[in-house]
Every structure is written in C-alpha cells, then in structure tokens.
Amino acid sequence: MLPKLNRKRALFVLTKIDEILAWEKRKEAERDTRFVELGRYLCEVRAGQYWRLENLKSFDEFLERRFPESRRKAYYLMSIHEHLPPEARRELKAIGWTKGLELAKLARRDGQRFESAIWLHRAREMPTEDFKREVEKELSGKEEEPWEIIYFKVYKSQIPVIEQAIDTAALMLGTDKSRGYCLEMICADFLAGQTWTGNPEILLNSISQFFKFLPGEQKHAFLQRVNEKIAS
C-alpha cells in the first residue's frame, strides 16, 4: 500500500532539498570566480618576487607552503592568465576558472590564431562538461571517448610519489595529455614488465597502449623493426 502523503511535510522536505542544491551551485560558482583571482595574484607574486617578503628562497618554496599537497593546481590557475589574450582574460570572472583552463589549452595551441570571441561565446552558453567535450573534440579532432571518474583512497604520504610519476609521464607524452592518459601510460609500463606471468594477452595489450602514444614517424620506425624481426 502507498504511504499516506503528508503534503505539508513533503513540501518542507522538497523545499529544503532545492535550497541545499541552490546553495551548492552558488558556492561552486563563487569558488570558480575566486580561483580566477587566485591565478592572477599568483602570477603577480612570481613576477614581482613577492615571496621575498617572507624570506623565502624561491617561488617554488612559496608554492610549497601554500599548496603543500600539490602545486599542480597553482600552475593550472596561472596558465590561464599566461596563455589567454587580454580580451579573454577580462571575461574570466564570468566564465570561471574551469572553462578558463579549457580556453587556455586552445590559446596555447593556436597562438595568434586563437578565435577568442567564438570560444568565449561557447564558454558562456554551454554547461561546463559540454564545453570541455567541445574543446577536447577540437584539440583531438575526434569525439571524446566515453569516460567515468574513478574514486579511490590514497594516503597523504603516497601523494608525492603519485604526483611525481604522473608529472614524469606528462613530460614523456606531452603536457597537453590528460592525467588519465598519463596514468594509463604508467599502468601500461607496469604491465609490460610482467612478462613472467606467461599471459601474452597482457603483454600485447601493454605494447598496444605504448604504440598509440608514439608520434607518426616513431610508429613507422617501430613497425619496420617488428617486420625486420619477423623476417629474420
């Protein structure tokens, strides 16, 4: 049997849910705007060497104190101001740092050819996730693969090792690659070393993952070497 509907209580509970969701949305928008300011101020600290006021030796030491778990976010925030043209930077507070970071990827690739007016319009009109997919499509030339977010716990003592491994992989693959691609590279490297398992499928999959990261010339050279091995 259906429970008796308490309309007064139902209206109260539904209203509270909407209030909490609206509050969360406002907080998210406020954080997005404040992070834009944070990136601008960080750029000014580096340019003016304001860290000397605290008797520090370098800007990196300043970031280590302010961002003890990871300096990556600080550099992300700064990259927005470093790569976007002035007309785009003026719009950052309106669109937020998440979309600003996506714009910076395009501006870094296109340089003077960056069509800021067109992409700013899209950033203003599109939801964040849709805009990120649009930028990914533009950068890669293809539709983005289906994706999902994976959650797992790591201890704070493990974070520096994980960050260093991902940063190293980014240097090998190119800084335009996502952290997910970098993690895939690390995992493929691990699996490639597990030849003792006797499972050729694992080894084949690992080699395939490495192969797709190679530039065109290196792919051709790799295939040529494989053919030479087969022929011999």
Side-chain angles (χ1 to χ4, degrees):
M1 294 180 61
L2 295 175
K4 184 179 179 180
L5 183 60
N6 185 333
R7 293 183 176 277
K8 184 177 180 181
R9 178 64 183 176
L11 180 62
F12 172 81
V13 170
L14 293 177
T15 301
K16 284 298 181 183
I17 290 174
D18 289 339
E19 286 178 359
I20 292 170
L21 292 176
W23 169 84
E24 182 186 32
K25 190 173 182 180
R26 288 196 304 272
K27 286 295 181 182
E28 191 70 25
E30 181 182 351
R31 185 179 68 170
D32 220 23
T33 301
R34 296 303 297 273
F35 277 1
V36 168
E37 290 185 311
L38 178 58
R40 177 166 59 85
Y41 288 136
L42 287 171
C43 288
E44 186 175 346
V45 168
R46 183 173 62 180
Q49 296 189 358
Y50 296 167
W51 42 264
R52 292 183 299 172
L53 192 64
E54 299 180 357
N55 296 319
L56 301 177
K57 297 179 181 178
S58 66
F59 181 65
D60 278 342
E61 188 176 353
F62 170 83
L63 291 183
E64 285 176 4
R65 290 195 176 187
R66 260 59 177 199
F67 301 86
E69 294 184 357
S70 173
R71 288 171 287 174
R72 178 176 291 272
K73 177 179 286 188
Y75 284 114
Y76 276 162
L77 295 173
M78 293 166 65
S79 71
I80 299 173
H81 296 271
E82 291 170 340
H83 294 103
L84 289 181
E87 63 271 18
R89 290 200 298 269
R90 286 192 291 268
E91 297 283 340
L92 281 175
K93 281 193 176 182
I95 63 175
W97 88 275
T98 306
K99 291 180 180 178
L101 182 59
E102 298 301 313
L103 289 172
K105 295 177 183 178
L106 294 167
R108 183 169 61 244
R109 184 197 68 173
D110 297 342
Q112 296 295 325
R113 297 181 292 104
F114 175 56
E115 298 175 325
S116 60
I118 294 175
W119 284 103
L120 280 170
H121 175 74
R122 293 177 182 176
R124 286 190 294 266
E125 298 298 321
M126 299 175 69
T128 300
E129 291 304 320
D130 291 347
F131 182 69
K132 291 173 72 173
R133 282 192 289 271
E134 188 74 10
V135 172
E136 177 66 24
K137 180 181 176 182
E138 172 67 21
L139 291 173
S140 64
K142 59 183 180 181
E143 294 285 351
E144 187 184 41
E145 293 183 46
W147 58 272
E148 61 180 271
I149 299 175
I150 299 175
Y151 295 94
F152 55 91
K153 182 178 74 174
V154 297
Y155 293 105
K156 287 190 175 182
S157 61
Q158 296 173 316
I159 291 175
V161 176
I162 295 171
E163 290 283 353
Q164 185 176 357
I166 292 176
D167 288 344
T168 302
L171 291 174
M172 297 171 61
L173 296 172
T175 53
D176 60 321
K177 297 295 184 182
S178 70
R179 306 195 80 188
Y181 276 114
C182 294
L183 181 60
E184 182 184 6
M185 180 71 164
I186 295 168
C187 294
D189 184 40
F190 172 79
L191 291 175
Q194 302 306 303
T195 55
W196 56 269
T197 62
N199 189 337
E201 288 298 323
I202 292 180
L203 183 59
L204 177 61
N205 182 64
S206 299
I207 294 173
S208 300
Q209 298 305 317
F210 279 117
F211 181 78
K212 76 177 185 180
F213 290 126
L214 292 173
E217 291 185 8
Q218 279 68 31
K219 285 182 178 178
H220 180 74
F222 176 81
L223 293 174
Q224 187 175 3
R225 293 182 187 180
V226 170
N227 290 330
E228 290 174 356
K229 292 288 185 180
I230 295 174
S232 61

